[in-house]
Amino acid sequence: MELADLLTPGAIRVCNAVKSKKRLFQDLAEIAAAAHGIDESIAIDALQERESLGPTGVGHGVALPHARIDSIERVRGIFIRLDRPLDYGSVDRAPVDLVFALFAPRDAGVEHLKALALVSRTLRDASVCAKLRANEDPDKLFAILTETADSKAA
């Protein structure tokens, strides 16, 4: 599995008006609908349900919200780079500016865990995060994410 299997260029955005986690989840759901055909209200509910179990902010300005949804057939990803970091309730209490959301079929099991591990590994790399933070073009962000995955797989 590679990030290019999870993402499409249309699933990557730079957002500058996000002031709350609720608004972030709305933006993620809108992108999920446009890029992957996932119902917006189902996506928001699923993200909020998972977040109620504990924050998905993993530290160092990175959040990995994820949810299981009945209506999809494979794991799908969305990446958002926030212009202004957001108080997310992360484990290290640092605000978040890099958000990689995953939506998986309810019965995905191992595939969901593999996708989470891949995204986590990629975004733990400080040089990858620095490149993502230094770029605002969604096509460049897509290239950074997918090239990183390809080079780690080689």
Side-chain angles (χ1 to χ4, degrees):
M1 178 182 298
E2 297 177 2
L3 289 183
D5 298 329
L6 306 173
L7 282 173
T8 64
I12 296 178
R13 297 276 195 304
V14 175
C15 296
N16 59 13
V18 178
K19 296 185 192 279
S20 70
K21 194 185 288 189
K22 181 179 180 180
R23 180 69 233 175
L24 174 64
F25 286 176
Q26 290 171 338
D27 288 348
L28 288 168
E30 289 170 10
I31 298 166
H36 301 304
I38 298 171
D39 181 273
E40 280 185 48
S41 62
I42 291 172
I44 290 171
D45 290 346
L47 288 169
Q48 290 174 336
E49 179 183 327
R50 168 54 190 87
E51 200 70 17
S52 72
L53 301 174
T56 54
V58 296
H60 305 286
V62 175
L64 304 177
H66 52 280
R68 293 180 184 264
I69 295 179
D70 290 321
S71 61
I72 61 174
E73 295 183 16
R74 66 184 184 97
V75 180
R76 300 294 196 156
I78 296 167
F79 178 78
I80 292 180
R81 180 187 158 294
L82 300 173
D83 272 351
R84 283 180 238 126
L86 171 68
D87 181 12
Y88 193 88
S90 298
V91 294
D92 64 354
R93 297 191 175 107
V96 163
D97 64 342
L98 302 177
V99 180
F100 199 118
L102 288 172
F103 293 94
R106 191 152 312 272
D107 61 354
V110 172
E111 288 303 307
H112 183 204
L113 295 177
K114 284 181 180 179
L116 271 172
L118 173 62
V119 172
S120 178
R121 239 185 350 265
T122 301
L123 295 180
R124 269 196 313 248
D125 185 327
S127 66
V128 171
C129 290
K131 289 177 191 174
L132 293 169
R133 288 181 173 117
N135 283 283
E136 292 189 6
D137 182 302
D139 291 332
K140 287 181 182 175
L141 295 172
F142 179 78
I144 292 164
L145 288 165
T146 57
E147 287 170 12
T148 299
D150 290 344
S151 67
K152 286 183 186 290

